[in-house]
Amino acid sequence: MSAFPLLSVRDLGVTFHAPRTLLGRRARNVQALDKISFDIHAGEIVGILGESGSGKTTVGRCMVRLQQPTTGHVSFEGRDIQALSGADPGWYCRQVQMIFQDPAASLNPRLRVRDIVAEGLDIHRIGTRESRREAVIDLLASVGLGADALMRFAHEFSGGQRQRIGIARALAVGPRLIVADEPVSALDVSVQAKVINLLRGLRERLGLAMAFISHDLPAVMFLCDRVVIMYLGRVMEIAPTGAFRTQPFHPYSRTLLALAPGLRHGGEGRIPPTPDHATAAPDLHHGCAFRNRCPHAVAACATVVPPLQQVTPQRWVACLRPEIFHDAC
Amino acid sequence: MAASCPALVVEGLNIHFHTRRGVVHAVDDVTFDIAPGEIVALVGESGSGKSVTSLSIMGLLPRIGHIAGGRLVFQPAGHAPVDLATAPEKVLRKIRGGGIGMIFQEPMTSLNPAMTVGEQIAEALVLHHQADRRAALARAADLLAAVGIARPRERVGSYPHQMSGGMRQRVMIAIAIACRPALLIADEPTTALDVTTQAQILEILQRLRRDTGMAILFITHNLSLVEAFADRIMVMYAGQVVECGNARDVMTAPRHPYTKALLDCLPVRHLGRPGDGAPPELPTIPGHPPDLAHRPAGCAYAMRCDRAHDACRTGHPDLQMADAAHGHATRCIAWREMSVAAGA
Ligand SMILES: Nc1ncnc2c1ncn2[C@@H]1O[C@H](COP(=O)(O)OP(=O)(O)O)[C@@H](O)[C@H]1O
Ligand SMILES: Nc1ncnc2c1ncn2[C@@H]1O[C@H](COP(=O)(O)OP(=O)(O)O)[C@@H](O)[C@H]1O
Ligand code: SF4
Ligand SMILES: [Mg+2]
Ligand SMILES: [Mg+2]
């Protein structure tokens, strides 16, 4: 791993301003992201894990310039991607590609597979007409589809096959980083396994880096080198996957590992169910986002926003009570 | 389980859909029962027939589908048994939301956005003549408390959109249990929820069955969810139950190659010890399920099965006991060749 990250997310904030309602009332603004920071190195698969609404998709969209940050920035090889101009946005688009959860909705139903996959090549005028055809056949082969797929439409394929088409389309422009937003969440278990193997194989063969966005803890544990744990728009913990699994530091991480079906360790007792008042979101202007579900919360947790702090050379945690995991550091 | 008579007996159930592509055999010879207080999980991949099975129990099959054979005998304690397959709509309407409660994956689509949750719970009670309007509203708060909603007396006045996904699913459970059903059917009730909320919902269902003795048919595609939660598991494939038995036995010693292959696909079973380096590839299942309009002869799984014999492609394996003491049955003729340690 080189010392400089391929992509850095720094203090990223995104606030969605609620539109005025018919009655002129203003609904609350949504702070989808609050000072998110993490890195992705070349060839690394980083899992971005969090429950629904935690801001995962919004981070992913910021990484491919589909969403403008309100504060902070994303940089690629040291360059702020919002500040790109001239030919550079096109260049960036070839470096970083996104794949989506719902393969059906993300593929144009009127285009044949050949044209879907070649879209990026056409837009960026990569290669000649003939070489593009060759390239598309190779791309389809690399995701396990035959040339017989070329002239068919996306809806003629199963969910798993559509996801492969989406991956081939993303690979067409030769990206170095793939942002994959819940790419296997809509697929059946047996199909999930095939797509996970495909993604891992791409990293092995092409040295691709990947942001694997998911709420599925076991899938993240299996595929990713490192994990970024998100909760209500904030990063709670960043850790190498193996160390995270044996020794989660943040109280939220511990809850996740204790509750994930199948991951539950024999020694770990049942976590008491969270009290109901905790199902309402806490006031996020002050204090820790996890405080009303946290078994370790103290008074300060309701007033001070815990900063994301480096606690070991490879681990970051946002918690006001480092003594909880201090022995493990 | 006590030797009390089952709350539901499903016997030789067959369900057909008449489509342009031909007759789809969505459910093929499904037989099982559920005892009072028992949780039975119906697991399988999409299209395997889980929802169609549950809809048939509630008499809610879409118009193009019909029960082509079999019996669905519902027998709540103290009442005469009813065959839901042949009962008139008038009887079914009384049973739905009365003797049989149901919850679905997406609570938002089943709740009325224009009514408070208290009114919606009360409506279920009034509809089934369990209480008059005033008593029903009072009981709504008790029901919200029973599903773990704090400050239930204030919450009866809330509208669905003022609640989180997890709270809405609790409201759905409150409605479903309002008339003290003998059977609760839950079709993917936690699929849209995150793990912490999911754990809470499962806990509530466990408690309810303990306290009320209601039977639960729990439908899910998530195998790892049910091991600790269900008493028994039935695995569906291509419209058939291919394996059933005690939850732990099925999960640790599957007796059908499909169940074993499905369990092997789970990433959670392949997390090496940290420091082992990248774990190997996940095992996969070749091919895909058969087209239910053109069922192959023989075992429906034969063309994907790594143990298939010639006999598998011609014969029609029945569900047979592999371990009678634990009620563990399989629809595989080669089950004896599967090592018992498989999947452990
Ligand atoms: N375009 C938008 N307008 C308003 N709110 C949004 C928009 N997109 C996302 N949000 C809100 O931002 C938060 C984070 O959403 P999202 O990034 O989609 O989370 P996740 O992908 O983890 O489920 C949620 O509260 C969501 O409702
Ligand atoms: N409305 C319908 N029209 C035609 N076929 C249907 C319909 N609903 C279900 N089916 C058939 O029944 C099978 C089982 O469906 P379902 O019970 O919904 O599966 P599951 O709930 O296990 O995902 C499907 O594969 C499909 O072939
Ligand atoms: S900061 Fe406080 S509330 Fe937040 S995780 Fe740490 S102990 Fe719990
Ligand atoms: Mg998302
Ligand atoms: Mg279903």
Side-chain angles (χ1 to χ4, degrees), chain B residues 43-60:
Chain B
V43 299
E45 297 188 273
S46 58
S48 58
K50 307 182 297 295
S51 293
V52 167
T53 301
S54 71
L55 290 173
S56 72
I57 297 169
M58 300 180 294
L60 289 177

Side-chain angles (χ1 to χ4, degrees), chain B residues 9-15 27-32 67-72 331:
Chain B
V9 178
V10 175
E11 222 173 65
L13 182 66
N14 282 275
I15 297 171
V27 172
D28 181 5
D29 191 22
V30 164
T31 294
F32 66 91
I67 296 177
R71 302 194 312 148
L72 293 161
R331 223 180 239 280

Side-chain angles (χ1 to χ4, degrees), chain A residues 51-52 161 185 187-194 196-198 200-201 203-204 215-216 218-219 221-223 242-243 245-246 252 255-256 259-264 270-277 279-280 293, chain B residues 44-46 148-151 155 164 167 170 191-200 203 221-225 228 262 265-268 270-275 278-287 304:
Chain A
E51 59 187 43
S52 93
Q161 288 171 321
S185 302
L187 306 176
D188 270 320
V189 175
S190 66
V191 184
Q192 270 184 11
K194 292 177 189 173
I196 288 175
N197 286 342
L198 170 63
R200 162 166 291 168
R203 190 266 292 271
E204 307 297 319
H215 67 273
D216 181 349
M221 298 285 97
F222 178 82
L223 182 66
R245 184 152 62 86
T246 43
Y252 176 56
T255 307
L256 279 181
L259 293 178
L263 264 177
R264 231 170 282 180
R270 285 287 286 116
I271 286 272
T274 354
D276 183 70
H277 68 262
T279 50
R293 300 171 102 171
Chain B
E45 297 188 273
S46 58
I149 288 186
R151 290 177 283 116
R155 277 300 183 179
S164 68
M167 281 220 240
R170 290 171 204 227
T191 299
L193 306 174
D194 58 83
V195 283
T196 51
T197 316
Q198 177 174 292
Q200 293 165 3
E203 195 128 332
H221 67 278
N222 188 343
L223 271 163
S224 31
L225 194 67
L262 205 54
C265 289
L266 294 174
V268 72
H270 302 275
L271 303 176
R273 275 187 297 279
E281 285 212 316
L282 292 172
T284 57
I285 307 179
R304 308 174 74 185

